[in-house]
Amino acid sequence: MTKIAYLGPAGTYSEMAALRYLQLSHPDLEHDPSIMCPYPTIPQAINAAENGNVEIAIVPVENSIQGGVTMTLDSLWQSEALQIQQAIVLPIAHALITRAAILTDIKTVYSHPQGLAQCQLWLDCHLPTVQQIATDSTTDGLQRVAEDGTSAAIASQRAAELYNLPILQFPINDQPDNFTRFLVLGRNTSHRQGTHSSLAFSLKRNMPGALVKPLLVFADRHINLSRIESRPTKRSLGEYIFFIDIEAALPDANCCEALEELKTVTENLKILGSYAIT
Amino acid sequence: MTKIAYLGPAGTYSEMAALRYLQLSHPDLEHDPSIMCPYPTIPQAINAAENGNVEIAIVPVENSIQGGVTMTLDSLWQSEALQIQQAIVLPIAHALITRAAILTDIKTVYSHPQGLAQCQLWLDCHLPTVQQIATDSTTDGLQRVAEDGTSAAIASQRAAELYNLPILQFPINDQPDNFTRFLVLGRNTSHRQGTHSSLAFSLKRNMPGALVKPLLVFADRHINLSRIESRPTKRSLGEYIFFIDIEAALPDANCCEALEELKTVTENLKILGSYAIT
C-alpha cells in the first residue's frame, strides 16, 4: 500500500500537488484518503520517505517569484536514499481567508513565509499595520481564523472550502504568474528516465574556473542546463553546494559520459534523479 | 552630514555592522547617534539610499548557514543608482532573551526568519511546542518580551543590554561558525576599487552553454569567481537573474576587457561595484 507524505495539514499547495500526482500516476487510489500522510514540516516529510515510513514524499522545491525552497534543497543534500521520481508544476493563487467582514477588522495574518512573501506588496498596501505570523504551512493558521474574527490566513481556495471559512479577497498574490514546482521523492531508483535530471555537488577548490569546469562538462556535450542554485555548505562563508538541473536523462550515453567527467572536477557529487515534469 | 540607513531598530546585527563601518571609515562620527537611521525593512533601508534620503545603507546579503538574503538581492537588481562601497563580515551569535526563569515557561519566540532558521535545531530540541513568530528584525520582538514573561526573542547580546532584558541562554545558534556578510551601499561611484566586484545579469536565451559563456569570460582571464547565486526574474518559472562575485577590481584592464565581452553574452548586465571586504 503506497503512502504519500506531504507538508500538511490538508489544504496546503503540497497536498494539491500530491492529489495531482495521484490523479496522474495512481488514478485507482485517488479517492482513498488513507494514503495521504500530512507532516508538519518539509524536513519531516522528506525524512519519512528517507526512512521508509512512506513510499513517496511530495515537497515544493522552487517558486517562480520567491525562488528556491532552501529547506528542500538542504534536506535533499542530506538524503542518502531518495531520488526524484517526477516534478509537478502547479499555478499558485492565494486567497485571504477570514471571518472579518472588512479589511480594517483584521489584526493578524498567518501564512507560510513563502505565502507572506508572495503577497508582500498586497499586504503593504492593504494591511500595512497587521502583524504577520509565519507558520509551518499555509493552512496552519486556519484554526485561529475559525476562532478569532480579527485573524486572517493566506492560503488556497481549497483550504477555505475544507475548513468551511469565507474568502474576503482573491487572488491577492503580487504577481499573477505564480507557479511552484514540486518534487515527488522516493527510494525507487529503478526507472531513472524522463526529460530532466538533477545533480548536486561541492567543489574541490575555490580557484579560477572551478565552477566553469562542471558546467563545461555539459556545454561541451550540448546538454542544456535549465537551472543552477547555490546553497552554503554551512562549513564556512564562501563555500557552496551547487544544485543543477539538466535537460537530459541520466541513462543517455552522452549523459553517462558527462557524469564520469563530472566526478573528476567535483568534490562530492550527488545524483538526485531523472524525471518527467508534468 | 552622513546618514546611515540600516535594518532597525537598535540592537540588530545590521546596526552592529553599521557601527563597525563607522569605526573603520569614520571614527570621528562613531559616537554621534544622529547619523544612525533605523528602517523597519531591508527594502526600505535600500530605498532610502537609492532616493538620497541617506548617504549609506547597510544590509545583510549572505549568511554562512542560511545562504543569500533574497530581499537584498532582489532590491539590488531593482536599484538604479546604488553601488557596493564595502563588505563587512560579522560573526553571529544568538542569545535567547526572555524574562522567563526556565525554558518551560516560554510560550512564544520572536525573531527575524533568519534568526529562527539559524536556531532551528536548538528550538526543535529545547522549545519544540512554542509558537515561532517571524518579525521584520531580530529586535522587533523585544517590546513584547519586556511586557510578557512567557515571550522570548532570538537576538544579539547587545540587544539584551540595550533593552535591559535578561539572557536565559547563549549562544543558541545551531552552528558555532555562523557569519553574515553585510553590504555598504551608496550612490558614490567614484572609487570603484578593492579586492572584489559584484555583477548581476540575465541571459538572452536558455540554451546549452548559455550560462557557461559568462563564466568562461572570467575563467579565460584567470579571474576567480567567489560566488554565484540565482534569483527568479519573477517573469516565468525557469528564468533567472545571476548574481556573481569576482576576485578583481573593475578598473583593472583584465577586468574591463571581461566586462566588454560579458555585455555580448548577457541580456541585462548590472555592475554592482568594486569593494574591499573587512
Side-chain angles (χ1 to χ4, degrees), chain A residues 202-246:
Chain A
S202 56
L203 291 175
K204 281 173 184 169
R205 279 186 297 172
N206 186 21
M207 54 178 288
L211 177 61
V212 170
K213 281 178 196 162
L215 302 190
L216 269 178
V217 163
F218 297 106
D220 286 348
R221 291 173 177 82
H222 303 287
I223 297 172
N224 191 30
L225 193 74
S226 55
R227 178 165 172 255
I228 182 166
E229 172 117 17
S230 60
R231 289 290 303 151
T233 59
K234 304 184 197 285
R235 289 185 304 214
S236 86
L237 191 65
E239 271 191 23
Y240 304 97
I241 296 154
F242 298 94
F243 290 81
I244 64 170
D245 291 354
I246 55 172

mmCIF file of all heavy atoms in Angstrom, chain A residues 202-246:
data_model
loop_
_atom_site.group_PDB
_atom_site.id
_atom_site.type_symbol
_atom_site.label_atom_id
_atom_site.label_comp_id
_atom_site.label_asym_id
_atom_site.label_seq_id
_atom_site.Cartn_x
_atom_site.Cartn_y
_atom_site.Cartn_z
ATOM 1 N N SER A 202 29.661 19.626 -4.523
ATOM 2 C CA SER A 202 30.541 20.639 -3.941
ATOM 3 C C SER A 202 31.826 20.628 -4.756
ATOM 4 O O SER A 202 32.095 19.682 -5.494
ATOM 5 C CB SER A 202 30.804 20.330 -2.465
ATOM 6 O OG SER A 202 31.324 19.030 -2.326
ATOM 7 N N LEU A 203 32.615 21.700 -4.630
ATOM 8 C CA LEU A 203 33.815 21.850 -5.457
ATOM 9 C C LEU A 203 35.069 21.579 -4.640
ATOM 10 O O LEU A 203 35.103 21.818 -3.430
ATOM 11 C CB LEU A 203 33.875 23.253 -6.043
ATOM 12 C CG LEU A 203 32.808 23.555 -7.097
ATOM 13 C CD1 LEU A 203 32.891 25.008 -7.524
ATOM 14 C CD2 LEU A 203 32.965 22.641 -8.296
ATOM 15 N N LYS A 204 36.103 21.085 -5.342
ATOM 16 C CA LYS A 204 37.352 20.770 -4.666
ATOM 17 C C LYS A 204 38.036 22.021 -4.127
ATOM 18 O O LYS A 204 38.436 22.101 -3.001
ATOM 19 C CB LYS A 204 38.294 20.056 -5.642
ATOM 20 C CG LYS A 204 37.946 18.601 -5.811
ATOM 21 C CD LYS A 204 38.780 17.980 -6.897
ATOM 22 C CE LYS A 204 38.345 16.544 -7.119
ATOM 23 N NZ LYS A 204 38.938 15.972 -8.316
ATOM 24 N N ARG A 205 38.191 23.006 -4.979
ATOM 25 C CA ARG A 205 38.886 24.198 -4.541
ATOM 26 C C ARG A 205 38.257 25.419 -5.164
ATOM 27 O O ARG A 205 37.753 25.376 -6.273
ATOM 28 C CB ARG A 205 40.368 24.148 -4.957
ATOM 29 C CG ARG A 205 41.214 23.309 -4.030
ATOM 30 C CD ARG A 205 42.652 23.437 -4.425
ATOM 31 N NE ARG A 205 42.876 22.918 -5.774
ATOM 32 C CZ ARG A 205 44.031 23.061 -6.424
ATOM 33 N NH1 ARG A 205 45.021 23.736 -5.875
ATOM 34 N NH2 ARG A 205 44.193 22.544 -7.631
ATOM 35 N N ASN A 206 38.329 26.513 -4.417
ATOM 36 C CA ASN A 206 37.811 27.773 -4.906
ATOM 37 C C ASN A 206 38.938 28.454 -5.686
ATOM 38 O O ASN A 206 39.761 29.143 -5.116
ATOM 39 C CB ASN A 206 37.364 28.615 -3.706
ATOM 40 C CG ASN A 206 36.676 29.870 -4.151
ATOM 41 O OD1 ASN A 206 36.193 29.949 -5.272
ATOM 42 N ND2 ASN A 206 36.635 30.847 -3.268
ATOM 43 N N MET A 207 39.002 28.204 -6.989
ATOM 44 C CA MET A 207 40.060 28.795 -7.808
ATOM 45 C C MET A 207 39.460 29.202 -9.154
ATOM 46 O O MET A 207 38.343 28.803 -9.471
ATOM 47 C CB MET A 207 41.202 27.811 -8.003
ATOM 48 C CG MET A 207 40.784 26.476 -8.561
ATOM 49 S SD MET A 207 42.181 25.389 -8.832
ATOM 50 C CE MET A 207 42.942 26.144 -10.250
ATOM 51 N N PRO A 208 40.205 30.032 -9.937
ATOM 52 C CA PRO A 208 39.622 30.480 -11.202
ATOM 53 C C PRO A 208 39.126 29.306 -12.024
ATOM 54 O O PRO A 208 39.842 28.336 -12.237
ATOM 55 C CB PRO A 208 40.798 31.190 -11.893
ATOM 56 C CG PRO A 208 41.655 31.669 -10.774
ATOM 57 C CD PRO A 208 41.541 30.610 -9.717
ATOM 58 N N GLY A 209 37.882 29.371 -12.437
ATOM 59 C CA GLY A 209 37.340 28.332 -13.300
ATOM 60 C C GLY A 209 36.822 27.106 -12.584
ATOM 61 O O GLY A 209 36.354 26.177 -13.236
ATOM 62 N N ALA A 210 36.859 27.085 -11.236
ATOM 63 C CA ALA A 210 36.425 25.877 -10.506
ATOM 64 C C ALA A 210 34.976 25.526 -10.838
ATOM 65 O O ALA A 210 34.639 24.350 -10.989
ATOM 66 C CB ALA A 210 36.600 26.071 -9.003
ATOM 67 N N LEU A 211 34.112 26.532 -10.957
ATOM 68 C CA LEU A 211 32.711 26.239 -11.277
ATOM 69 C C LEU A 211 32.503 26.090 -12.781
ATOM 70 O O LEU A 211 31.585 25.398 -13.222
ATOM 71 C CB LEU A 211 31.802 27.340 -10.712
ATOM 72 C CG LEU A 211 30.318 27.187 -11.033
ATOM 73 C CD1 LEU A 211 29.751 25.885 -10.465
ATOM 74 C CD2 LEU A 211 29.520 28.360 -10.482
ATOM 75 N N VAL A 212 33.349 26.738 -13.564
ATOM 76 C CA VAL A 212 33.189 26.641 -15.021
ATOM 77 C C VAL A 212 33.371 25.205 -15.488
ATOM 78 O O VAL A 212 32.636 24.732 -16.351
ATOM 79 C CB VAL A 212 34.195 27.569 -15.744
ATOM 80 C CG1 VAL A 212 34.188 27.294 -17.234
ATOM 81 C CG2 VAL A 212 33.840 29.017 -15.492
ATOM 82 N N LYS A 213 34.333 24.495 -14.889
ATOM 83 C CA LYS A 213 34.626 23.126 -15.354
ATOM 84 C C LYS A 213 33.396 22.216 -15.317
ATOM 85 O O LYS A 213 33.078 21.588 -16.320
ATOM 86 C CB LYS A 213 35.782 22.519 -14.545
ATOM 87 C CG LYS A 213 37.139 23.034 -15.016
ATOM 88 C CD LYS A 213 38.275 22.467 -14.184
ATOM 89 C CE LYS A 213 39.539 23.267 -14.410
ATOM 90 N NZ LYS A 213 40.528 23.032 -13.347
ATOM 91 N N PRO A 214 32.674 22.135 -14.176
ATOM 92 C CA PRO A 214 31.488 21.281 -14.181
ATOM 93 C C PRO A 214 30.447 21.728 -15.217
ATOM 94 O O PRO A 214 29.778 20.896 -15.822
ATOM 95 C CB PRO A 214 30.923 21.434 -12.764
ATOM 96 C CG PRO A 214 32.058 21.920 -11.939
ATOM 97 C CD PRO A 214 32.974 22.670 -12.845
ATOM 98 N N LEU A 215 30.337 23.034 -15.439
ATOM 99 C CA LEU A 215 29.329 23.499 -16.391
ATOM 100 C C LEU A 215 29.753 23.199 -17.837
ATOM 101 O O LEU A 215 28.914 22.880 -18.683
ATOM 102 C CB LEU A 215 29.072 24.999 -16.204
ATOM 103 C CG LEU A 215 28.618 25.430 -14.799
ATOM 104 C CD1 LEU A 215 28.168 26.871 -14.801
ATOM 105 C CD2 LEU A 215 27.505 24.534 -14.268
ATOM 106 N N LEU A 216 31.065 23.273 -18.074
ATOM 107 C CA LEU A 216 31.578 22.961 -19.417
ATOM 108 C C LEU A 216 31.340 21.499 -19.791
ATOM 109 O O LEU A 216 31.133 21.175 -20.958
ATOM 110 C CB LEU A 216 33.080 23.253 -19.482
ATOM 111 C CG LEU A 216 33.478 24.659 -19.934
ATOM 112 C CD1 LEU A 216 34.995 24.803 -19.893
ATOM 113 C CD2 LEU A 216 32.955 24.956 -21.337
ATOM 114 N N VAL A 217 31.376 20.636 -18.757
ATOM 115 C CA VAL A 217 31.129 19.205 -18.979
ATOM 116 C C VAL A 217 29.819 19.017 -19.748
ATOM 117 O O VAL A 217 29.721 18.188 -20.661
ATOM 118 C CB VAL A 217 31.089 18.466 -17.617
ATOM 119 C CG1 VAL A 217 30.441 17.102 -17.745
ATOM 120 C CG2 VAL A 217 32.483 18.384 -17.013
ATOM 121 N N PHE A 218 28.830 19.831 -19.402
ATOM 122 C CA PHE A 218 27.526 19.715 -20.069
ATOM 123 C C PHE A 218 27.486 20.529 -21.367
ATOM 124 O O PHE A 218 26.961 20.069 -22.383
ATOM 125 C CB PHE A 218 26.409 20.145 -19.123
ATOM 126 C CG PHE A 218 26.320 19.243 -17.923
ATOM 127 C CD1 PHE A 218 26.754 19.664 -16.671
ATOM 128 C CD2 PHE A 218 25.837 17.953 -18.048
ATOM 129 C CE1 PHE A 218 26.706 18.815 -15.580
ATOM 130 C CE2 PHE A 218 25.786 17.098 -16.967
ATOM 131 C CZ PHE A 218 26.224 17.527 -15.724
ATOM 132 N N ALA A 219 28.037 21.748 -21.336
ATOM 133 C CA ALA A 219 28.003 22.605 -22.531
ATOM 134 C C ALA A 219 28.724 21.933 -23.689
ATOM 135 O O ALA A 219 28.254 21.965 -24.828
ATOM 136 C CB ALA A 219 28.626 23.961 -22.212
ATOM 137 N N ASP A 220 29.874 21.288 -23.395
ATOM 138 C CA ASP A 220 30.655 20.626 -24.450
ATOM 139 C C ASP A 220 29.857 19.515 -25.127
ATOM 140 O O ASP A 220 30.135 19.145 -26.263
ATOM 141 C CB ASP A 220 31.943 20.008 -23.852
ATOM 142 C CG ASP A 220 32.972 21.087 -23.529
ATOM 143 O OD1 ASP A 220 32.773 22.234 -23.971
ATOM 144 O OD2 ASP A 220 33.951 20.774 -22.827
ATOM 145 N N ARG A 221 28.892 18.959 -24.399
ATOM 146 C CA ARG A 221 28.074 17.868 -24.951
ATOM 147 C C ARG A 221 26.688 18.351 -25.375
ATOM 148 O O ARG A 221 25.774 17.539 -25.562
ATOM 149 C CB ARG A 221 27.951 16.742 -23.917
ATOM 150 C CG ARG A 221 29.265 16.009 -23.690
ATOM 151 C CD ARG A 221 29.198 15.005 -22.564
ATOM 152 N NE ARG A 221 30.474 14.303 -22.447
ATOM 153 C CZ ARG A 221 31.540 14.794 -21.806
ATOM 154 N NH1 ARG A 221 31.469 15.969 -21.201
ATOM 155 N NH2 ARG A 221 32.664 14.099 -21.774
ATOM 156 N N HIS A 222 26.531 19.665 -25.460
ATOM 157 C CA HIS A 222 25.254 20.273 -25.880
ATOM 158 C C HIS A 222 24.087 19.847 -25.004
ATOM 159 O O HIS A 222 22.975 19.651 -25.482
ATOM 160 C CB HIS A 222 24.962 19.946 -27.356
ATOM 161 C CG HIS A 222 26.067 20.389 -28.254
ATOM 162 N ND1 HIS A 222 26.296 21.716 -28.559
ATOM 163 C CD2 HIS A 222 27.057 19.686 -28.869
ATOM 164 C CE1 HIS A 222 27.358 21.808 -29.340
ATOM 165 N NE2 HIS A 222 27.851 20.595 -29.540
ATOM 166 N N ILE A 223 24.365 19.661 -23.717
ATOM 167 C CA ILE A 223 23.299 19.361 -22.770
ATOM 168 C C ILE A 223 22.924 20.671 -22.090
ATOM 169 O O ILE A 223 23.783 21.335 -21.493
ATOM 170 C CB ILE A 223 23.761 18.327 -21.706
ATOM 171 C CG1 ILE A 223 24.118 16.993 -22.386
ATOM 172 C CG2 ILE A 223 22.675 18.125 -20.650
ATOM 173 C CD1 ILE A 223 24.772 15.985 -21.447
ATOM 174 N N ASN A 224 21.656 21.056 -22.198
ATOM 175 C CA ASN A 224 21.247 22.343 -21.626
ATOM 176 C C ASN A 224 21.098 22.266 -20.115
ATOM 177 O O ASN A 224 20.572 21.303 -19.563
ATOM 178 C CB ASN A 224 19.928 22.821 -22.240
ATOM 179 C CG ASN A 224 19.635 24.261 -21.849
ATOM 180 O OD1 ASN A 224 20.561 25.042 -21.633
ATOM 181 N ND2 ASN A 224 18.368 24.608 -21.741
ATOM 182 N N LEU A 225 21.577 23.319 -19.470
ATOM 183 C CA LEU A 225 21.442 23.488 -18.034
ATOM 184 C C LEU A 225 20.202 24.357 -17.828
ATOM 185 O O LEU A 225 20.161 25.489 -18.297
ATOM 186 C CB LEU A 225 22.686 24.255 -17.576
ATOM 187 C CG LEU A 225 23.019 24.349 -16.115
ATOM 188 C CD1 LEU A 225 23.547 23.000 -15.652
ATOM 189 C CD2 LEU A 225 24.109 25.405 -15.922
ATOM 190 N N SER A 226 19.153 23.834 -17.174
ATOM 191 C CA SER A 226 17.945 24.655 -17.049
ATOM 192 C C SER A 226 17.913 25.428 -15.737
ATOM 193 O O SER A 226 17.101 26.330 -15.570
ATOM 194 C CB SER A 226 16.688 23.799 -17.215
ATOM 195 O OG SER A 226 16.691 22.736 -16.304
ATOM 196 N N ARG A 227 18.823 25.096 -14.794
ATOM 197 C CA ARG A 227 18.779 25.802 -13.516
ATOM 198 C C ARG A 227 20.065 25.570 -12.751
ATOM 199 O O ARG A 227 20.631 24.477 -12.797
ATOM 200 C CB ARG A 227 17.597 25.275 -12.695
ATOM 201 C CG ARG A 227 17.455 25.887 -11.328
ATOM 202 C CD ARG A 227 16.073 25.572 -10.770
ATOM 203 N NE ARG A 227 15.960 25.980 -9.397
ATOM 204 C CZ ARG A 227 15.974 25.149 -8.355
ATOM 205 N NH1 ARG A 227 16.075 23.846 -8.551
ATOM 206 N NH2 ARG A 227 15.874 25.609 -7.132
ATOM 207 N N ILE A 228 20.537 26.596 -12.042
ATOM 208 C CA ILE A 228 21.632 26.406 -11.090
ATOM 209 C C ILE A 228 21.274 27.181 -9.843
ATOM 210 O O ILE A 228 20.760 28.297 -9.912
ATOM 211 C CB ILE A 228 22.996 26.845 -11.667
ATOM 212 C CG1 ILE A 228 24.122 26.574 -10.650
ATOM 213 C CG2 ILE A 228 22.995 28.307 -12.074
ATOM 214 C CD1 ILE A 228 25.510 26.668 -11.251
ATOM 215 N N GLU A 229 21.479 26.569 -8.711
ATOM 216 C CA GLU A 229 21.178 27.246 -7.442
ATOM 217 C C GLU A 229 22.301 26.902 -6.477
ATOM 218 O O GLU A 229 22.735 25.753 -6.414
ATOM 219 C CB GLU A 229 19.821 26.758 -6.916
ATOM 220 C CG GLU A 229 19.473 27.216 -5.539
ATOM 221 C CD GLU A 229 18.227 28.097 -5.495
ATOM 222 O OE1 GLU A 229 17.447 28.108 -6.456
ATOM 223 O OE2 GLU A 229 18.057 28.789 -4.472
ATOM 224 N N SER A 230 22.787 27.895 -5.729
ATOM 225 C CA SER A 230 23.849 27.597 -4.768
ATOM 226 C C SER A 230 23.303 27.663 -3.355
ATOM 227 O O SER A 230 22.418 28.452 -3.048
ATOM 228 C CB SER A 230 25.012 28.568 -4.942
ATOM 229 O OG SER A 230 24.585 29.893 -4.742
ATOM 230 N N ARG A 231 23.815 26.793 -2.496
ATOM 231 C CA ARG A 231 23.467 26.789 -1.069
ATOM 232 C C ARG A 231 24.759 26.738 -0.279
ATOM 233 O O ARG A 231 25.733 26.114 -0.717
ATOM 234 C CB ARG A 231 22.613 25.564 -0.714
ATOM 235 C CG ARG A 231 21.204 25.590 -1.262
ATOM 236 C CD ARG A 231 20.355 26.626 -0.584
ATOM 237 N NE ARG A 231 20.301 26.425 0.856
ATOM 238 C CZ ARG A 231 20.127 27.431 1.728
ATOM 239 N NH1 ARG A 231 20.008 28.675 1.327
ATOM 240 N NH2 ARG A 231 20.083 27.181 3.010
ATOM 241 N N PRO A 232 24.817 27.378 0.877
ATOM 242 C CA PRO A 232 26.047 27.293 1.666
ATOM 243 C C PRO A 232 26.301 25.861 2.147
ATOM 244 O O PRO A 232 25.357 25.130 2.433
ATOM 245 C CB PRO A 232 25.770 28.230 2.845
ATOM 246 C CG PRO A 232 24.297 28.403 2.908
ATOM 247 C CD PRO A 232 23.776 28.196 1.521
ATOM 248 N N THR A 233 27.586 25.484 2.228
ATOM 249 C CA THR A 233 27.920 24.164 2.785
ATOM 250 C C THR A 233 27.682 24.153 4.294
ATOM 251 O O THR A 233 27.687 23.111 4.920
ATOM 252 C CB THR A 233 29.411 23.812 2.582
ATOM 253 O OG1 THR A 233 30.188 24.825 3.225
ATOM 254 C CG2 THR A 233 29.778 23.725 1.120
ATOM 255 N N LYS A 234 27.523 25.309 4.893
ATOM 256 C CA LYS A 234 27.373 25.522 6.337
ATOM 257 C C LYS A 234 28.688 25.278 7.070
ATOM 258 O O LYS A 234 28.731 25.284 8.295
ATOM 259 C CB LYS A 234 26.239 24.674 6.943
ATOM 260 C CG LYS A 234 24.894 24.913 6.250
ATOM 261 C CD LYS A 234 23.765 24.150 6.909
ATOM 262 C CE LYS A 234 22.533 24.036 6.024
ATOM 263 N NZ LYS A 234 21.739 25.225 5.906
ATOM 264 N N ARG A 235 29.775 25.038 6.338
ATOM 265 C CA ARG A 235 31.086 24.888 6.973
ATOM 266 C C ARG A 235 31.725 26.261 7.146
ATOM 267 O O ARG A 235 32.135 26.626 8.229
ATOM 268 C CB ARG A 235 31.996 23.992 6.119
ATOM 269 C CG ARG A 235 31.588 22.537 6.123
ATOM 270 C CD ARG A 235 32.583 21.673 5.373
ATOM 271 N NE ARG A 235 32.794 22.123 4.001
ATOM 272 C CZ ARG A 235 33.035 21.314 2.968
ATOM 273 N NH1 ARG A 235 33.111 20.010 3.171
ATOM 274 N NH2 ARG A 235 33.216 21.778 1.754
ATOM 275 N N SER A 236 31.826 27.014 6.044
ATOM 276 C CA SER A 236 32.379 28.360 6.198
ATOM 277 C C SER A 236 31.833 29.265 5.118
ATOM 278 O O SER A 236 31.427 28.807 4.046
ATOM 279 C CB SER A 236 33.906 28.324 6.182
ATOM 280 O OG SER A 236 34.384 28.366 4.873
ATOM 281 N N LEU A 237 31.788 30.573 5.419
ATOM 282 C CA LEU A 237 31.234 31.559 4.491
ATOM 283 C C LEU A 237 32.032 31.496 3.197
ATOM 284 O O LEU A 237 33.260 31.557 3.216
ATOM 285 C CB LEU A 237 31.340 32.949 5.120
ATOM 286 C CG LEU A 237 30.588 34.097 4.441
ATOM 287 C CD1 LEU A 237 29.087 33.891 4.506
ATOM 288 C CD2 LEU A 237 30.940 35.424 5.083
ATOM 289 N N GLY A 238 31.354 31.336 2.062
ATOM 290 C CA GLY A 238 32.044 31.321 0.776
ATOM 291 C C GLY A 238 32.234 29.920 0.199
ATOM 292 O O GLY A 238 32.810 29.773 -0.870
ATOM 293 N N GLU A 239 31.756 28.880 0.922
ATOM 294 C CA GLU A 239 31.812 27.509 0.392
ATOM 295 C C GLU A 239 30.390 27.067 0.053
ATOM 296 O O GLU A 239 29.502 27.168 0.902
ATOM 297 C CB GLU A 239 32.366 26.544 1.447
ATOM 298 C CG GLU A 239 33.868 26.413 1.434
ATOM 299 C CD GLU A 239 34.318 25.248 2.323
ATOM 300 O OE1 GLU A 239 33.510 24.315 2.587
ATOM 301 O OE2 GLU A 239 35.458 25.279 2.757
ATOM 302 N N TYR A 240 30.215 26.548 -1.165
ATOM 303 C CA TYR A 240 28.856 26.298 -1.622
ATOM 304 C C TYR A 240 28.633 24.881 -2.122
ATOM 305 O O TYR A 240 29.555 24.210 -2.557
ATOM 306 C CB TYR A 240 28.486 27.267 -2.758
ATOM 307 C CG TYR A 240 28.651 28.694 -2.336
ATOM 308 C CD1 TYR A 240 29.804 29.405 -2.645
ATOM 309 C CD2 TYR A 240 27.673 29.317 -1.571
ATOM 310 C CE1 TYR A 240 29.974 30.708 -2.219
ATOM 311 C CE2 TYR A 240 27.833 30.625 -1.139
ATOM 312 C CZ TYR A 240 28.986 31.308 -1.459
ATOM 313 O OH TYR A 240 29.158 32.590 -1.021
ATOM 314 N N ILE A 241 27.362 24.481 -2.075
ATOM 315 C CA ILE A 241 26.884 23.301 -2.783
ATOM 316 C C ILE A 241 26.074 23.832 -3.965
ATOM 317 O O ILE A 241 25.262 24.757 -3.790
ATOM 318 C CB ILE A 241 25.980 22.442 -1.879
ATOM 319 C CG1 ILE A 241 26.791 21.904 -0.708
ATOM 320 C CG2 ILE A 241 25.330 21.311 -2.654
ATOM 321 C CD1 ILE A 241 25.934 21.611 0.494
ATOM 322 N N PHE A 242 26.295 23.274 -5.141
ATOM 323 C CA PHE A 242 25.569 23.716 -6.325
ATOM 324 C C PHE A 242 24.549 22.664 -6.723
ATOM 325 O O PHE A 242 24.878 21.482 -6.812
ATOM 326 C CB PHE A 242 26.536 23.991 -7.484
ATOM 327 C CG PHE A 242 27.498 25.099 -7.164
ATOM 328 C CD1 PHE A 242 28.750 24.826 -6.630
ATOM 329 C CD2 PHE A 242 27.131 26.422 -7.349
ATOM 330 C CE1 PHE A 242 29.623 25.849 -6.301
ATOM 331 C CE2 PHE A 242 28.000 27.451 -7.023
ATOM 332 C CZ PHE A 242 29.252 27.168 -6.496
ATOM 333 N N PHE A 243 23.313 23.103 -6.937
ATOM 334 C CA PHE A 243 22.249 22.230 -7.429
ATOM 335 C C PHE A 243 22.022 22.585 -8.894
ATOM 336 O O PHE A 243 21.758 23.752 -9.196
ATOM 337 C CB PHE A 243 20.956 22.458 -6.638
ATOM 338 C CG PHE A 243 21.024 21.959 -5.228
ATOM 339 C CD1 PHE A 243 21.638 22.707 -4.243
ATOM 340 C CD2 PHE A 243 20.475 20.725 -4.888
ATOM 341 C CE1 PHE A 243 21.720 22.234 -2.935
ATOM 342 C CE2 PHE A 243 20.555 20.252 -3.580
ATOM 343 C CZ PHE A 243 21.178 21.002 -2.609
ATOM 344 N N ILE A 244 22.136 21.605 -9.782
ATOM 345 C CA ILE A 244 21.864 21.919 -11.183
ATOM 346 C C ILE A 244 20.826 20.965 -11.761
ATOM 347 O O ILE A 244 20.721 19.801 -11.355
ATOM 348 C CB ILE A 244 23.135 21.928 -12.061
ATOM 349 C CG1 ILE A 244 23.791 20.558 -12.131
ATOM 350 C CG2 ILE A 244 24.148 22.962 -11.580
ATOM 351 C CD1 ILE A 244 24.883 20.520 -13.192
ATOM 352 N N ASP A 245 20.034 21.498 -12.675
ATOM 353 C CA ASP A 245 19.070 20.701 -13.438
ATOM 354 C C ASP A 245 19.526 20.708 -14.885
ATOM 355 O O ASP A 245 19.878 21.767 -15.420
ATOM 356 C CB ASP A 245 17.666 21.318 -13.365
ATOM 357 C CG ASP A 245 17.060 21.214 -11.975
ATOM 358 O OD1 ASP A 245 17.675 20.570 -11.104
ATOM 359 O OD2 ASP A 245 15.979 21.788 -11.756
ATOM 360 N N ILE A 246 19.540 19.544 -15.511
ATOM 361 C CA ILE A 246 19.908 19.460 -16.924
ATOM 362 C C ILE A 246 18.759 18.858 -17.717
ATOM 363 O O ILE A 246 17.931 18.120 -17.175
ATOM 364 C CB ILE A 246 21.194 18.613 -17.144
ATOM 365 C CG1 ILE A 246 21.037 17.216 -16.521
ATOM 366 C CG2 ILE A 246 22.417 19.326 -16.567
ATOM 367 C CD1 ILE A 246 22.182 16.272 -16.867
#
